[in-house]
Amino acid sequence: MGLLTLGSPLSWDETYPHIDYIKKHGIAQFIMLYHRLKGRQGDQLKWGDEIEYTIIKYDHEAKKVRVSNRAEELLNRLRAEEEVNAMVGTENRFLWRPEFAAYMVEGTPGVPYGGLMACFNVVESNMIRRRAEIVRLLKKDESVLSISFPSLGAPDFTVPKSVVTPEDPDGAGRSIFFPDDAIFGGHPRFKNLVKNIRGRRGEKVCINVPVFKDTNTPFPFLDKLPVPDVDAERNAKPDHIYMDHMGFGMGCCCLQVTFQAVNVEEARWLYDQLTPITPILLALSASTPIFKSYLADVDSRWDIISASVDDRTAEERGFVPLDKNKFVLNKSRYDSTDCYIYPCSVGYNDIPLEFDKKIYQQLREGDIDEPLAKHIAHMFIRDPLQVYRERLEQDDSKSTEHFETIQSSNWMNMRFKPPPPDASEIGWRVEFRPTEVQLTDFENAAYCCFVVLLTRVIVSFRLTFLLPISKVTENMKRAQKRDAVLNGKFFFRRGLANCDTPPDMKKTANCKTPDNNDVVEMAIAEIINGDGHEFPGLVPLIRQFLDSADVDVDTRCTISQYLNFIQKRASGEIQTLAHWMREFVHNHSEYKQDSYVNDRIIYDLCKSMDDISKGISHCEKLLGCFRSKTEQLIPSAVRRAEESLIVGKALRKASAASKPSTNNTS
Ligand code: GLU
Ligand code: MG
């Protein structure tokens, strides 16, 4: 979830006097890094997924399930093994990192996947073994699920039991529902973020999620407050589930994919092209219909996290006239991006951007081109929340820590990531961040492979999916609605468009200006599977790409299974987890049609999900009948064959390039 640095974190009041200094140096660091590394060429596609997991514990006698705050203990063991491997020179197959909550862990492959097509066949196997690695450390009655837990903040939702301390002046969150003990305690970052977000905002965060109104839901629905609380009395809205802690959002789990681009131009281009795809994936992966044990009227976590880290002051939210702050800001620091960053795309930037003129000037004087300067300056309207006393003074030519502290706490649907200052093997990268984590590794692998294959299609066919960026913001809203995948309509490009200009950052003259006739509203099924006349569909495009690629039989079979599955999710033949969970609750004998999902239902729900996730039972409604041919390793014959094809292609390209072009008459 961001930068993990060691040191003594500063409180908000201590940070305040250093803000301008940190921003100025953060920008200087970015400028130096950019110029030092902008010429990097030829990095190959490498990519990796991040899966966040929730550790749970069953009480089979009481028929209850709780989150288990044992992440720190498990991580200590996993990290110790990682270090031993590193010392003896054994490759780590997985890497484990802390996440926001004391009951969460995050796992990634130990080394990134490469550009070979055969890599798509090892992803799921890596995820399966990764999960097994954590499972072996669990105690009796514990389990690990890749879900956002539906009862966060409900009475007594953790083991060990922990109490809320809303009156404690030193408390991090001071929530009336979510105890600070449920925040990961093994690193100061997390509690400090909670505290500083509250400090900057000037009050607790406030999350109101529309409740799902069932036949017996009280009208109006007024959320129960366990103790009287001034903030709650002021902020809780009728007909909404009310929550007041960062953990309600950042304690949810997701699935992210980061990939390395060939160079900075390609990274910027892909950032833009994938931005309009993010709401589509959010709707298609919807998995979070229950919050604090109530059925919500949304299917995903997005707006909840957004509100859970919303550090804007009342002035910045537009409730009182500006005085101490400089801008009214429309979005939280966790939200969708407001601007494209590739020069050709600027015509589609129709959201007015707030940024500090001085910072923008610093970037422009540092020779950062206009679109990128605007993106960085706009991110830098957010203040640093994580500053370490010992690390204020830095060598801006070597460190990017001040830049990263702001970049890594701008949690947007996409992230453009410069290479680290000190690791030469990592290039310019882009992170795709909205996807809700799926219950099974088959699904998680399918979503990841889909996104990565889509990047290959975009790059190979130079497709463009750009929409006016305000339409992406609107699509993110639509994507969260209940059953958006079945009923929602999304702005999307009419027909297929490709960008015929070469990826030359300096040429923007030939770029098409947006035309309203290019944008239509489509259902997810039409976007994924095609609309039957103008738009061929993302999956058919991927298939077309695969037909021209050299893929071994097993990998092709696995990819087909993933794509068929995605197509059926899109068409509604297979349910999203959100839909399936709602149906489970509605069919449960203890459900009283009043939106409340009691302990027993949550217990049965988690057990059913656990059985599906472990493969003990198969749920066709959720998964269809697909099975991949995933393998632990790429067979060496396949690797050799693919590598020699790549070398052959490169040689043919090089020799073609060295011949005089026949069309060139000059
Ligand atoms: N858990 C957060 C989410 O569900 C993401 C945190 C991160 O950026 O790693 O989106
Ligand atoms: Mg994470």
Side-chain angles (χ1 to χ4, degrees):
M1 185 194 129
L3 196 62
L4 294 172
T5 321
L6 292 177
S8 344
L10 299 187
S11 69
W12 174 245
D13 287 342
E14 289 164 336
T15 304
Y16 193 76
H18 303 290
I19 291 174
D20 287 346
Y21 177 90
I22 289 162
K23 287 191 181 177
K24 195 166 156 217
H25 286 271
I27 294 289
Q29 293 172 356
F30 174 76
I31 294 171
M32 281 195 221
L33 183 82
Y34 187 81
H35 291 302
R36 188 150 50 84
L37 298 171
K38 67 184 178 198
R40 255 186 99 107
Q41 293 292 338
D43 283 319
Q44 54 150 313
L45 170 69
K46 280 189 188 165
W47 63 279
D49 64 89
E50 286 165 49
I51 298 183
E52 296 170 346
Y53 305 85
T54 299
I55 310 161
I56 57 169
K57 187 173 169 83
Y58 295 102
D59 179 341
H60 293 299
E61 238 164 72
K63 305 265 184 258
K64 284 180 179 174
V65 58
R66 300 293 182 242
V67 293
S68 174
N69 288 349
R70 283 219 308 131
E72 193 176 343
E73 220 175 303
L74 300 186
L75 281 168
N76 285 343
R77 292 178 58 185
L78 292 164
R79 297 291 288 270
E81 289 172 16
E82 242 173 57
E83 273 160 34
V84 171
N85 283 344
M87 252 154 48
V88 298
T90 312
E91 196 169 80
N92 274 306
R93 291 176 307 170
F94 325 103
L95 296 176
W96 293 98
R97 296 292 172 262
E99 247 306 332
F100 176 83
Y103 52 80
M104 276 168 95
V105 287
E106 177 179 293
T108 63
V111 282
Y113 306 114
L116 298 185
M117 294 301 289
C119 288
F120 293 112
N121 207 30
V122 297
V123 177
E124 187 182 336
S125 168
N126 184 287
M127 290 175 176
I128 294 170
R129 289 175 308 123
R130 199 187 307 168
R131 196 185 286 265
E133 186 166 81
I134 184 121
V135 166
R136 86 195 143 89
L137 302 179
L138 298 176
K139 288 191 183 151
K140 188 170 168 281
D141 300 333
E142 275 183 340
S143 191
V144 78
L145 286 177
S146 41
I147 59 161
S148 298
F149 190 68
S151 295
L152 298 180
D156 151 46
F157 73 102
T158 68
V159 279
K161 260 192 189 153
S162 39
V163 284
V164 290
T165 51
E167 305 294 338
D168 176 4
D170 296 324
R174 301 185 65 173
S175 165
I176 54 174
F177 308 106
F178 195 103
D180 286 343
D181 286 350
I183 305 171
F184 184 80
H187 192 283
R189 167 181 171 83
F190 303 102
K191 274 195 184 133
N192 195 49
L193 266 175
V194 175
K195 222 173 179 169
N196 287 354
I197 285 174
R198 191 167 54 76
R200 189 183 187 288
R201 183 181 165 99
E203 59 178 9
K204 284 196 289 189
V205 292
C206 157
I207 311 161
N208 279 297
V209 190
V211 71
F212 169 72
K213 288 198 197 131
D214 211 338
T215 42
N216 296 333
T217 309
F219 178 74
F221 168 88
L222 299 172
D223 202 349
K224 289 189 199 74
L225 308 179
V227 288
D229 182 68
V230 208
D231 282 358
E233 271 138 36
R234 192 177 56 233
N235 293 329
K237 288 194 196 160
D239 294 328
H240 286 72
I241 308 158
Y242 168 72
M243 300 176 279
D244 65 348
H245 193 283
M246 179 168 166
F248 282 106
M250 280 296 179
C252 290
C253 295
C254 70
L255 169 69
Q256 293 161 337
V257 191
T258 298
F259 39 86
Q260 174 170 277
V262 169
N263 53 26
V264 64
E265 283 84 9
E266 188 182 273
R268 290 173 65 172
W269 159 261
L270 281 173
Y271 177 94
D272 290 1
Q273 296 307 330
L274 288 173
T275 292
I277 306 295
T278 52
I280 312 309
L281 262 284
L282 185 62
L284 199 57
S285 62
S287 300
T288 328
I290 305 172
F291 292 91
K292 220 179 67 185
S293 295
Y294 288 101
L295 281 170
D297 210 28
V298 297
D299 271 357
S300 97
R301 77 200 190 292
W302 190 262
D303 274 357
I304 289 83
I305 309 194
S306 176
S308 83
V309 291
D310 189 356
D311 68 341
R312 288 172 303 163
T313 62
E315 289 180 20
E316 287 170 330
R317 279 176 285 135
F319 292 140
V320 292
L322 284 176
D323 173 25
K324 290 201 181 74
N325 295 115
K326 291 189 197 136
F327 310 102
V328 173
L329 302 171
N330 283 325
K331 288 181 178 171
S332 154
R333 54 199 299 156
Y334 183 111
D335 211 314
S336 55
T337 172
D338 283 331
C339 62
Y340 297 114
I341 57 176
Y342 190 73
C344 278
S345 320
V346 293
Y348 293 85
N349 281 338
D350 62 343
I351 297 183
L353 290 187
E354 308 86 8
F355 52 81
D356 190 316
K357 293 220 168 58
K358 256 182 29 212
I359 288 181
Y360 177 68
Q361 217 43 50
Q362 189 187 347
L363 284 155
R364 297 292 286 135
E365 278 160 16
D367 204 19
I368 303 295
D369 60 88
E370 195 178 310
L372 191 56
K374 284 193 174 152
H375 164 71
I376 302 285
H378 183 52
M379 280 204 312
F380 269 63
I381 52 174
R382 312 290 171 178
D383 288 338
L385 295 172
Q386 196 72 272
V387 181
Y388 297 91
R389 179 165 293 116
E390 302 79 354
R391 307 182 76 99
L392 277 164
E393 297 299 322
Q394 291 179 13
D395 178 348
D396 292 341
S397 64
K398 295 211 176 86
S399 167
T400 51
E401 225 173 280
H402 289 329
F403 169 73
E404 280 298 333
T405 190
I406 292 183
Q407 149 106 333
S408 71
S409 57
N410 265 271
W411 296 281
M412 294 185 289
N413 48 349
M414 293 293 302
R415 188 175 283 158
F416 165 67
K417 294 174 150 181
D422 49 1
S424 59
E425 74 279 14
I426 303 178
W428 295 91
R429 291 148 305 150
V430 173
E431 184 180 0
F432 189 88
R433 302 173 41 82
T435 315
E436 302 239 318
V437 74
Q438 304 295 297
L439 193 53
T440 66
D441 293 319
F442 174 88
E443 295 165 280
N444 285 317
Y447 280 88
C448 289
C449 293
F450 171 78
V451 172
V452 179
L453 282 165
L454 192 59
T455 66
R456 298 308 89 196
V457 172
I458 292 172
V459 170
S460 307
F461 302 150
R462 267 199 92 64
L463 296 183
T464 176
F465 294 117
L466 295 192
L467 299 170
I469 200 146
S470 61
K471 298 265 188 291
V472 178
T473 300
E474 171 59 28
N475 279 352
M476 284 306 271
K477 291 205 182 89
R478 297 182 179 190
Q480 301 171 61
K481 296 223 165 97
R482 188 157 44 87
D483 279 334
V485 73
L486 303 178
N487 311 320
K489 289 274 185 189
F490 295 83
F491 294 108
F492 209 72
R493 287 290 282 235
R494 173 204 298 276
L496 249 199
N498 52 1
C499 182
D500 45 14
T501 45
D504 180 345
M505 305 260 284
K506 292 186 186 74
K507 272 193 212 152
T508 52
N510 297 346
C511 291
K512 232 183 126 204
T513 40
D515 177 345
N516 274 344
N517 290 327
D518 285 346
V519 179
V520 287
E521 290 182 68
M522 282 198 238
I524 297 282
E526 293 171 308
I527 295 170
I528 299 290
N529 299 330
D531 64 3
H533 52 118
E534 279 182 294
F535 186 65
L538 298 178
V539 166
L541 282 167
I542 294 177
R543 288 225 173 83
Q544 205 179 320
F545 164 79
L546 289 168
D547 288 342
S548 62
D550 298 295
V551 192
D552 67 279
V553 182
D554 283 357
T555 304
R556 181 71 200 241
C557 168
T558 294
I559 295 176
S560 290
Q561 298 284 303
Y562 294 158
L563 296 179
N564 291 342
F565 159 76
I566 298 263
Q567 288 197 285
K568 294 211 167 179
R569 269 268 162 93
S571 68
E573 277 172 79
I574 295 180
Q575 299 175 346
T576 59
L577 183 62
H579 189 99
W580 182 88
M581 286 167 80
R582 282 181 196 284
E583 207 172 88
F584 187 97
V585 173
H586 282 287
N587 293 335
H588 197 283
S589 59
E590 293 212 3
Y591 180 60
K592 300 196 173 63
Q593 278 66 47
D594 58 355
S595 316
Y596 178 56
V597 191
N598 71 16
D599 261 349
R600 175 60 199 258
I601 309 176
I602 299 279
Y603 169 83
D604 288 336
L605 178 67
C606 284
K607 283 206 34 177
S608 294
M609 292 199 287
D610 216 344
D611 286 350
I612 296 170
S613 141
K614 290 192 178 111
I616 295 171
S617 65
H618 182 79
C619 178
E620 213 170 305
K621 276 183 178 174
L622 185 69
L623 302 169
C625 336
F626 299 110
R627 175 167 299 180
S628 74
K629 292 201 166 208
T630 187
E631 294 254 17
Q632 189 170 335
L633 295 170
I634 300 175
S636 49
V638 170
R639 179 180 290 280
R640 275 200 303 276
E642 248 199 90
E643 278 169 353
S644 68
L645 278 168
I646 292 172
V647 173
K649 258 188 206 158
L651 287 175
R652 280 198 299 280
K653 224 173 166 181
S655 85
S658 63
K659 284 182 199 142
S661 159
T662 45
N663 306 333
N664 190 346
T665 50
S666 61

